[in-house]
Amino acid sequence: MQRPSCHPGRSAQRGVEGSRAASASALFDLHCHLDFDPDTRAAAQVLAELGMGAFSTTVTPEGYERARGLLEPFGNVRVGLGLHPWWIADGRLGPQDVALFERLAKDERFIGEVGLDFGRDRAETRDAQVAAFERVARACAGGGKVLSIHAVKAAGEALDVLERAGALVGNACIFHWFSGASDELQRAVRAGCFFSINPRMLASKRGRAYAQAVPAERLLLETDAPSQAGERYDAPAEAARLAAMLEALADLRRTPRDDLAARIARTSRQLFASA
């Protein structure tokens, strides 16, 4: 398919609230990486034309500044200020980047991707990751923010950090692709957290069980696409994946598809609304 011009059209400028995305069953991608697409603006434009909303997370503060400039014209997209734990673990992000995050976070509502990853060889950088995430959480204390949180073998620790900093109060904390233990899931539910579900999560028995257990008003959809810089965000294909996931979730939860779609869209619109 020929890609559209990178100049935002009227549908993008109207935003989610005034476009087809305001319909009861609108699709929202609550965790993606539009800035990985070589033509970020074109990807956002296609999303707008499809009536879709997106929470486009970033992985570094500098990446956030770039993505914010590219995506600012698009009312259907929210850009998250990121400090990804992988970049902390491998040294690509250092103290100056954490300090930049803290400065930017004062004026930003959408935060992500942030968190902890103690999987595989990243466990040895646990202390550095926790120290950075402590500063992230403190920068978000005070409320009014929407956070997309990465937690691999670290859900309990992530909740501990958020709780110590007071960042669970007044913020919408979204666990992206939750993979912790069942007691950690219940703890996060009690703390008022949200959960964004992607197709890969539904590929596992535990993921399907979690998707059934999350209260409907805390359930969100995500693609986590593209997976790396340089890949395209194929909006029509991702829309089809989200729609198929809605069907699967409705079957799992034994609820009418349209009712579930409306509930998830309503929650998504509430998170997208201005502070």
Side-chain angles (χ1 to χ4, degrees), residues 177-227:
W177 194 349
F178 188 89
S179 60
S182 58
D183 60 334
E184 293 170 328
L185 177 73
Q186 292 306 315
R187 180 185 171 191
V189 169
R190 291 194 301 271
C193 297
F194 297 80
F195 304 84
S196 53
I197 311 296
N198 64 43
R200 284 169 290 184
M201 188 170 172
L202 295 184
S204 71
K205 182 178 179 181
R206 182 168 66 170
R208 290 191 296 273
Y210 287 175
Q212 287 177 289
V214 172
E217 66 274 14
R218 310 277 187 79
L219 194 63
L220 302 164
L221 305 179
E222 66 158 75
T223 66
D224 199 21
S227 61

Side-chain angles (χ1 to χ4, degrees), residues 14 28 37 42 57 61 68 72 93 137 147 156-157 165 214 236 240 254:
R14 285 197 304 268
F28 290 77
D37 190 304
T57 63
R68 180 181 60 182
E72 188 172 10
L93 291 177
L147 290 77
E157 186 79 60
V214 172
R254 294 181 173 84

Side-chain angles (χ1 to χ4, degrees), residues 62-123:
E62 287 188 359
Y64 165 75
E65 291 183 303
R66 174 183 172 276
R68 180 181 60 182
L70 290 170
L71 293 167
E72 188 172 10
F74 295 90
N76 61 313
V77 177
R78 303 294 183 265
V79 183
L81 167 62
L83 195 81
H84 200 293
W86 291 359
W87 274 251
I88 294 290
D90 67 14
R92 280 179 283 180
L93 291 177
Q96 72 280 5
D97 300 292
V98 181
L100 176 58
F101 177 96
E102 290 172 316
R103 291 196 298 273
L104 293 172
K106 294 176 183 178
D107 301 315
E108 303 306 330
R109 180 169 184 247
F110 288 86
I111 306 294
E113 184 169 356
V114 296
L116 301 169
D117 193 316
F118 301 155
R120 296 194 293 270
D121 56 340
R122 298 187 182 100

